[in-house]
Amino acid sequence: MSTEPTSTPTPSPAKTRTGVWLVGARGSVATTTVTGAAAVAAGLHPATGMVTETPAFADAGLPPLSALVFGGHDTTACPLPKRAEQLAAAGVLPHGLPTALAAELAAADEEIRPGGPGPGDTRGDEELIAAFAADLTGFRTRHDLARVVVVNVASTEPAPGAGDARLPASSLYAAAALAAGCPYVNFTPSTGLHHPALAARAAACGLPYAGRDGKTGQTLLRSVLAPMFHQRALAVRAWSGSNLLGGGDGAALADPAAAAAKNAGKERVLADTLGTAPEGEVHIDDVPAMGDFKTAWDHIAFDGFLGTRMILQTIWQGVDSSLAAPLVLDLARLLARAHESGLTGPRPELGFFFKDPDGGSSSLAEQYTALLAFAGRLGETR
């Protein structure tokens, strides 16, 4: 598929706002994303962690945070303002911020539609895709938006089996995005557009898309350390890891099949960089008491000169949703601008953000260089 700019109509002056449709819109990542965008736009907090707010992106023509309009799909009923209050009480969001941004959170909550398929839902895949696509087109029309970017931030689902007759939920949402003419980001390890049944639709859609699985914590660190060992010719004998986390992610990843889908990206970073997969596994333990906080530990066994055996251990403690939210905003803005510029197909230039990107290098430094070049390219099309 061509990835060169095509002729794209310039939106009318009224259509200067960009929609961001979050699949999993009442989860921790989505709630932090909506709250964070409003807080930064209002000048209440700095844009810490947002790559697109650094000087290198100033001339890329990205939509401003104040021009973003949020909506989404979710299968839960907890109102977004209440979810934000829960995150503030847990120490994930600053105390008092949900109250200060109550109007913005309520506005986003009004645009959250029921997801699916839920228990007892008898609709077939194409009916669900059509219903989800109608939600997207309705959102775009109601707010007179120039475009809508769909971002999957829902809980990780197991990889589909070879004999599964139905598309997984993530692929239903991805197909709906294509049907509605919306650029698509898969920030999760779930299948999304990678399902074979969607290959023809993705190839013919004429839309930019990117994924998959956001690189936020443990894998981000691995993508920095693995090249160091490789470039210094140090032989890695084993690389083991452990994750302790609670919240919705912890519950979802307690399913061994979902955990396997998540770990595949972590292991792929090592194999791609080192040339072979070292011994060792990643274990994920659900610890509900930790809430949205996470501890990730890595134990790296490697050989130095003359076979000297050495160990490096790392500990990463943080909040996944706080690490993910600024990247979600970065990706939504970059893909919106790519769509405005007429770019289509998978965007390997955005591999900097993903464990399992759509092509390109697996080196974080090389990915960052590609991202900066992409920003320059976007700036040239203004």
Side-chain angles (χ1 to χ4, degrees):
M1 181 195 309
S2 170
T3 58
E4 293 306 307
T6 59
S7 177
T8 300
T10 301
S12 66
K15 291 190 175 183
T16 57
R17 297 193 298 170
T18 296
V20 181
W21 189 269
L22 301 167
V23 179
R26 292 190 169 112
S28 296
V29 173
T31 305
T32 306
T33 297
V34 175
T35 306
V40 175
L44 300 178
H45 284 270
T48 305
M50 284 193 65
V51 178
T52 53
E53 283 296 296
T54 60
F57 295 82
D59 297 324
L62 305 181
L65 291 174
S66 59
L68 301 183
V69 182
F70 292 93
H73 282 116
D74 209 313
T75 56
T76 63
C78 179
L80 202 60
K82 182 177 180 180
R83 181 64 183 134
E85 290 287 358
Q86 292 171 346
L87 292 178
V92 176
L93 295 177
H95 179 71
L97 191 61
T99 300
L101 300 173
E104 290 85 347
L105 290 167
D109 190 66
E110 290 179 1
E111 290 296 343
I112 297 177
R113 299 295 180 264
D121 194 333
T122 60
R123 291 176 294 178
D125 287 353
E126 294 304 323
E127 290 177 287
L128 287 163
I129 291 169
F132 296 156
D135 290 336
L136 290 165
T137 55
F139 175 62
R140 182 168 54 211
T141 300
R142 279 192 301 279
H143 295 279
D144 197 27
L145 302 171
R147 57 191 46 83
V148 177
V149 179
V150 176
V151 187
N152 181 18
V153 290
S155 297
T156 301
E157 66 187 15
D164 289 353
R166 299 287 301 269
L167 289 173
S170 65
S171 296
L172 296 174
Y173 293 119
L178 301 187
C182 300
Y184 173 79
V185 178
N186 188 1
F187 201 75
T188 80
S190 300
T191 304
L193 277 183
H194 282 72
H195 198 287
L198 300 186
R201 301 190 202 196
C205 70
L207 296 164
Y209 52 88
R212 82 187 139 161
D213 199 3
K215 188 161 52 186
T216 56
Q218 185 181 42
T219 308
L220 176 64
L221 191 57
R222 286 180 166 210
S223 69
V224 174
L225 291 175
M228 176 194 74
F229 285 107
H230 179 69
Q231 293 162 7
R232 286 293 301 273
L234 298 169
V236 176
R237 291 183 290 107
W239 198 316
S240 300
S242 181
N243 288 261
L244 307 177
L245 69 160
D249 272 352
L253 295 173
D255 178 350
K262 181 74 172 177
N263 285 337
K266 296 176 181 288
E267 295 165 357
R268 189 176 297 109
V269 168
L270 298 182
D272 289 349
T273 305
L274 300 175
T276 183
E279 292 182 9
E281 298 179 347
V282 177
H283 297 276
I284 300 176
D285 294 322
D286 178 24
V287 185
M290 294 185 69
D292 284 271
F293 287 80
K294 172 182 175 179
T295 296
W297 170 76
D298 270 24
H299 182 280
I300 308 160
F302 65 99
D303 290 342
F305 192 50
L306 302 179
T308 304
R309 295 200 161 190
M310 292 179 269
I311 298 292
L312 173 65
Q313 295 186 15
T314 66
I315 298 177
W316 181 292
Q317 294 178 306
V319 180
D320 257 5
S321 56
S322 298
L323 293 165
L327 305 187
V328 171
L329 293 170
D330 285 335
L331 285 162
R333 299 172 80 195
L334 286 163
L335 217 59
R337 182 72 182 98
H339 184 240
E340 182 183 18
S341 299
L343 299 178
T344 65
R347 305 315 315 172
E349 306 95 335
L350 301 181
F352 177 77
F353 298 99
F354 299 106
K355 299 182 181 73
D356 186 17
D358 293 310
S361 172
S362 59
S363 163
L364 190 69
E366 293 177 7
Q367 289 174 339
Y368 184 61
T369 298
L371 179 63
L372 294 181
F374 187 56
R377 182 181 180 186
L378 293 176
E380 293 170 358
T381 63
R382 295 182 69 179

